[in-house]
Amino acid sequence: MTLLLGCIADDFTGATDLANMLVRGGMRTIQTIGVPTAPLPDEVDAVVIALKSRTIAPADAVAQSLAALGWLKGQGCKQVYFKYCSTFDSTPKGNIGPVTEALMDAMGTDFTIACPAFPENGRTICRGYLFVGDVLLSESGMRNHPLTPMTDASLVRVMQAQTQRKVGLISYTTLDKGTEAVRQAIAKLRSEGTGVAIVDALADAHLDVIAESTADFALVTAGSGVGLGIANAHRRAGRLKHAATSAALPNVTGLSAVVSGSCSDMTNAQVAQWKASRPAFKLDPVALANSPAAVEDAIAWTKDQVASGPVLIYATATPDDVKAAQAELGVARAGAVVEEALAHVAKALVAAGVRKLIVAGGETSGAVVSALGVTALRIGPQIDPGVPWTVTLGGEPIALALKSGNFGTADFFAKALAQLEATR
Ligand code: ADP
């Protein structure tokens, strides 16, 4: 296996987002849940190791990231990519800065870039300031994030606050001049003792320039956007012989189901649309907390129904209903009770013959994947931006679509199942 790119992602759905980009660019990509313990198939251009390190203690994030790096180095991978969120989710303590520096130290490199831009999704960087759509990061909803409130849009300042090395900037005016100008800017920053450069990106063309000018870097750090530039660069250089079939998945046959624990607006709309014409079973967190029989009822219902067509089992609820459940059980318990129940349901579904499973919710996906003992996924075609079909590796293959929060259109569930059928 010639691993062109080895990625370390700081959360699960972020890892899928990057993997989806790489596949779109023509790289055959596998996502692993945590550091791989079993060998991976040979036919792969990129591996994305999904960690859960975004908001844990910096020392733990560093340790996990170094373990991932150790595995990637063992595979002889050509370039390492540290992937974080396009809204640069972090605090003055980290974890983007400390992990970046630990990787630089371990790889013996004195310079890297930081570029969370994802222009297609409205995340652009202009003179070092990160925009979410038309507003500065610090004016976006991210300023109120419960764990990583982003109250400063200047990425140079944000990165410098969590980094020992000097942080500099390569602005879009340089990117507009092309690869050679960016290489010169990098050489200049390096000679001045800068260790990390925030790089502007206003459009996909800038991502291509970034990828070309850092092609010989041991380490790049970025959101998922730069991944598309890197895949494009490898494809243009003729290194992706299987680009046309990079999204091909093995054939999976079996029953179909949807499990939803996301309470985002879009997931509420998706559940409502499904319920209007197809079978669905609602789980109530308070009932689940009060009686273990509640989940058994759901399982009995699904076993009864699923043989005759796809079913939905959901805890998805409106903000008022979520608040009511949280008031009764506490926020953490309400979440945990639902995640545990849906994980249990997912296991029962697979035992009943389900092999095509859609999961809505980032945390919910984590709980389901861990209950099913999934350790690696081959990434397939995109269903909607950020959400590809995948197939589990090791054990009996299951087609999984893991959809977080507000991703996907209102008809996502039926559309995703139809797309899978269409490729058969
Ligand atoms: P998203 O990707 O939309 O953020 P997550 O699965 O990450 O979705 O998070 C949703 C959280 O809400 C989970 O912890 C889930 O268990 C919890 N949850 C789901 N349904 C309910 C409900 N009816 N009441 C309270 N919490 C719920």
Side-chain angles (χ1 to χ4, degrees), residues 82-98:
F82 170 39
K83 151 75 173 76
Y84 35 74
C85 190
S86 63
T87 43
F88 214 68
D89 302 24
S90 55
T91 72
K93 292 205 173 85
N95 291 337
I96 297 175

PDB file of all heavy atoms in Angstrom, residues 82-98:
ATOM      1  N   PHE A  82      -3.383  17.012   9.774  1.00  0.00           N
ATOM      2  CA  PHE A  82      -4.147  17.133  11.022  1.00  0.00           C
ATOM      3  C   PHE A  82      -5.414  17.922  10.706  1.00  0.00           C
ATOM      4  O   PHE A  82      -5.351  19.068  10.287  1.00  0.00           O
ATOM      5  CB  PHE A  82      -3.291  17.833  12.093  1.00  0.00           C
ATOM      6  CG  PHE A  82      -4.038  18.215  13.336  1.00  0.00           C
ATOM      7  CD1 PHE A  82      -5.003  17.387  13.895  1.00  0.00           C
ATOM      8  CD2 PHE A  82      -3.770  19.419  13.977  1.00  0.00           C
ATOM      9  CE1 PHE A  82      -5.704  17.745  15.044  1.00  0.00           C
ATOM     10  CE2 PHE A  82      -4.464  19.789  15.127  1.00  0.00           C
ATOM     11  CZ  PHE A  82      -5.433  18.957  15.648  1.00  0.00           C
ATOM     12  N   LYS A  83      -6.572  17.281  10.882  1.00  0.00           N
ATOM     13  CA  LYS A  83      -7.863  17.860  10.483  1.00  0.00           C
ATOM     14  C   LYS A  83      -8.645  18.351  11.701  1.00  0.00           C
ATOM     15  O   LYS A  83      -8.845  17.602  12.655  1.00  0.00           O
ATOM     16  CB  LYS A  83      -8.673  16.787   9.733  1.00  0.00           C
ATOM     17  CG  LYS A  83     -10.202  16.880   9.816  1.00  0.00           C
ATOM     18  CD  LYS A  83     -10.777  17.993   8.968  1.00  0.00           C
ATOM     19  CE  LYS A  83     -12.293  17.987   8.903  1.00  0.00           C
ATOM     20  NZ  LYS A  83     -12.999  18.479  10.081  1.00  0.00           N
ATOM     21  N   TYR A  84      -9.066  19.614  11.653  1.00  0.00           N
ATOM     22  CA  TYR A  84      -9.943  20.155  12.709  1.00  0.00           C
ATOM     23  C   TYR A  84     -11.153  20.787  12.035  1.00  0.00           C
ATOM     24  O   TYR A  84     -11.290  20.756  10.803  1.00  0.00           O
ATOM     25  CB  TYR A  84      -9.189  21.168  13.584  1.00  0.00           C
ATOM     26  CG  TYR A  84      -8.179  22.009  12.841  1.00  0.00           C
ATOM     27  CD1 TYR A  84      -8.598  23.039  12.009  1.00  0.00           C
ATOM     28  CD2 TYR A  84      -6.813  21.738  12.917  1.00  0.00           C
ATOM     29  CE1 TYR A  84      -7.685  23.798  11.292  1.00  0.00           C
ATOM     30  CE2 TYR A  84      -5.886  22.489  12.194  1.00  0.00           C
ATOM     31  CZ  TYR A  84      -6.333  23.522  11.387  1.00  0.00           C
ATOM     32  OH  TYR A  84      -5.440  24.251  10.665  1.00  0.00           O
ATOM     33  N   CYS A  85     -12.007  21.412  12.848  1.00  0.00           N
ATOM     34  CA  CYS A  85     -13.268  21.929  12.324  1.00  0.00           C
ATOM     35  C   CYS A  85     -13.054  23.215  11.515  1.00  0.00           C
ATOM     36  O   CYS A  85     -12.140  23.995  11.791  1.00  0.00           O
ATOM     37  CB  CYS A  85     -14.204  22.182  13.486  1.00  0.00           C
ATOM     38  SG  CYS A  85     -15.863  22.528  12.945  1.00  0.00           S
ATOM     39  N   SER A  86     -13.932  23.442  10.548  1.00  0.00           N
ATOM     40  CA  SER A  86     -13.811  24.645   9.710  1.00  0.00           C
ATOM     41  C   SER A  86     -14.133  25.912  10.495  1.00  0.00           C
ATOM     42  O   SER A  86     -13.946  27.018   9.984  1.00  0.00           O
ATOM     43  CB  SER A  86     -14.729  24.533   8.496  1.00  0.00           C
ATOM     44  OG  SER A  86     -16.073  24.482   8.922  1.00  0.00           O
ATOM     45  N   THR A  87     -14.638  25.776  11.704  1.00  0.00           N
ATOM     46  CA  THR A  87     -14.815  26.965  12.553  1.00  0.00           C
ATOM     47  C   THR A  87     -13.709  27.028  13.620  1.00  0.00           C
ATOM     48  O   THR A  87     -13.825  27.764  14.596  1.00  0.00           O
ATOM     49  CB  THR A  87     -16.220  27.005  13.197  1.00  0.00           C
ATOM     50  OG1 THR A  87     -16.564  25.702  13.665  1.00  0.00           O
ATOM     51  CG2 THR A  87     -17.264  27.448  12.196  1.00  0.00           C
ATOM     52  N   PHE A  88     -12.639  26.262  13.430  1.00  0.00           N
ATOM     53  CA  PHE A  88     -11.430  26.306  14.247  1.00  0.00           C
ATOM     54  C   PHE A  88     -11.745  26.109  15.738  1.00  0.00           C
ATOM     55  O   PHE A  88     -11.136  26.742  16.615  1.00  0.00           O
ATOM     56  CB  PHE A  88     -10.702  27.645  14.045  1.00  0.00           C
ATOM     57  CG  PHE A  88      -9.201  27.521  14.127  1.00  0.00           C
ATOM     58  CD1 PHE A  88      -8.495  26.841  13.152  1.00  0.00           C
ATOM     59  CD2 PHE A  88      -8.482  28.086  15.166  1.00  0.00           C
ATOM     60  CE1 PHE A  88      -7.110  26.724  13.210  1.00  0.00           C
ATOM     61  CE2 PHE A  88      -7.090  27.980  15.241  1.00  0.00           C
ATOM     62  CZ  PHE A  88      -6.409  27.297  14.255  1.00  0.00           C
ATOM     63  N   ASP A  89     -12.680  25.209  16.029  1.00  0.00           N
ATOM     64  CA  ASP A  89     -13.162  24.983  17.402  1.00  0.00           C
ATOM     65  C   ASP A  89     -11.999  24.672  18.341  1.00  0.00           C
ATOM     66  O   ASP A  89     -11.393  23.601  18.255  1.00  0.00           O
ATOM     67  CB  ASP A  89     -14.143  23.806  17.443  1.00  0.00           C
ATOM     68  CG  ASP A  89     -15.338  23.999  16.538  1.00  0.00           C
ATOM     69  OD1 ASP A  89     -15.228  24.776  15.568  1.00  0.00           O
ATOM     70  OD2 ASP A  89     -16.380  23.364  16.778  1.00  0.00           O
ATOM     71  N   SER A  90     -11.732  25.615  19.261  1.00  0.00           N
ATOM     72  CA  SER A  90     -10.601  25.454  20.184  1.00  0.00           C
ATOM     73  C   SER A  90     -10.701  26.529  21.261  1.00  0.00           C
ATOM     74  O   SER A  90     -11.562  27.413  21.191  1.00  0.00           O
ATOM     75  CB  SER A  90      -9.273  25.586  19.430  1.00  0.00           C
ATOM     76  OG  SER A  90      -9.223  26.814  18.730  1.00  0.00           O
ATOM     77  N   THR A  91      -9.825  26.459  22.249  1.00  0.00           N
ATOM     78  CA  THR A  91      -9.769  27.473  23.312  1.00  0.00           C
ATOM     79  C   THR A  91      -8.310  27.925  23.424  1.00  0.00           C
ATOM     80  O   THR A  91      -7.431  27.318  22.796  1.00  0.00           O
ATOM     81  CB  THR A  91     -10.206  26.889  24.668  1.00  0.00           C
ATOM     82  OG1 THR A  91      -9.168  26.005  25.120  1.00  0.00           O
ATOM     83  CG2 THR A  91     -11.522  26.125  24.587  1.00  0.00           C
ATOM     84  N   PRO A  92      -8.013  28.958  24.231  1.00  0.00           N
ATOM     85  CA  PRO A  92      -6.602  29.362  24.368  1.00  0.00           C
ATOM     86  C   PRO A  92      -5.715  28.219  24.870  1.00  0.00           C
ATOM     87  O   PRO A  92      -4.498  28.239  24.693  1.00  0.00           O
ATOM     88  CB  PRO A  92      -6.670  30.504  25.386  1.00  0.00           C
ATOM     89  CG  PRO A  92      -8.049  31.070  25.214  1.00  0.00           C
ATOM     90  CD  PRO A  92      -8.939  29.898  24.900  1.00  0.00           C
ATOM     91  N   LYS A  93      -6.300  27.191  25.476  1.00  0.00           N
ATOM     92  CA  LYS A  93      -5.500  26.032  25.931  1.00  0.00           C
ATOM     93  C   LYS A  93      -5.279  25.011  24.815  1.00  0.00           C
ATOM     94  O   LYS A  93      -4.428  24.141  24.904  1.00  0.00           O
ATOM     95  CB  LYS A  93      -6.226  25.332  27.082  1.00  0.00           C
ATOM     96  CG  LYS A  93      -6.304  26.141  28.358  1.00  0.00           C
ATOM     97  CD  LYS A  93      -6.455  25.178  29.547  1.00  0.00           C
ATOM     98  CE  LYS A  93      -6.365  25.885  30.874  1.00  0.00           C
ATOM     99  NZ  LYS A  93      -7.624  26.442  31.327  1.00  0.00           N
ATOM    100  N   GLY A  94      -6.085  25.085  23.765  1.00  0.00           N
ATOM    101  CA  GLY A  94      -5.915  24.119  22.676  1.00  0.00           C
ATOM    102  C   GLY A  94      -7.248  23.665  22.107  1.00  0.00           C
ATOM    103  O   GLY A  94      -8.229  24.353  22.268  1.00  0.00           O
ATOM    104  N   ASN A  95      -7.380  22.578  21.359  1.00  0.00           N
ATOM    105  CA  ASN A  95      -6.249  21.669  21.259  1.00  0.00           C
ATOM    106  C   ASN A  95      -5.502  21.778  19.930  1.00  0.00           C
ATOM    107  O   ASN A  95      -4.562  21.006  19.695  1.00  0.00           O
ATOM    108  CB  ASN A  95      -6.740  20.232  21.447  1.00  0.00           C
ATOM    109  CG  ASN A  95      -7.189  19.997  22.885  1.00  0.00           C
ATOM    110  OD1 ASN A  95      -6.775  20.681  23.805  1.00  0.00           O
ATOM    111  ND2 ASN A  95      -8.086  19.020  23.061  1.00  0.00           N
ATOM    112  N   ILE A  96      -5.898  22.733  19.076  1.00  0.00           N
ATOM    113  CA  ILE A  96      -5.273  22.765  17.749  1.00  0.00           C
ATOM    114  C   ILE A  96      -3.779  23.097  17.856  1.00  0.00           C
ATOM    115  O   ILE A  96      -2.935  22.427  17.255  1.00  0.00           O
ATOM    116  CB  ILE A  96      -6.016  23.761  16.829  1.00  0.00           C
ATOM    117  CG1 ILE A  96      -7.467  23.281  16.622  1.00  0.00           C
ATOM    118  CG2 ILE A  96      -5.288  23.886  15.488  1.00  0.00           C
ATOM    119  CD1 ILE A  96      -8.348  24.228  15.830  1.00  0.00           C
ATOM    120  N   GLY A  97      -3.452  24.129  18.672  1.00  0.00           N
ATOM    121  CA  GLY A  97      -2.045  24.540  18.807  1.00  0.00           C
ATOM    122  C   GLY A  97      -1.163  23.439  19.399  1.00  0.00           C
ATOM    123  O   GLY A  97      -0.167  23.029  18.782  1.00  0.00           O
ATOM    124  N   PRO A  98      -1.500  22.935  20.588  1.00  0.00           N
ATOM    125  CA  PRO A  98      -0.650  21.903  21.194  1.00  0.00           C
ATOM    126  C   PRO A  98      -0.489  20.654  20.324  1.00  0.00           C
ATOM    127  O   PRO A  98       0.607  20.096  20.237  1.00  0.00           O
ATOM    128  CB  PRO A  98      -1.377  21.563  22.499  1.00  0.00           C
ATOM    129  CG  PRO A  98      -2.185  22.778  22.822  1.00  0.00           C
ATOM    130  CD  PRO A  98      -2.560  23.397  21.509  1.00  0.00           C
TER     131      PRO A  98
END
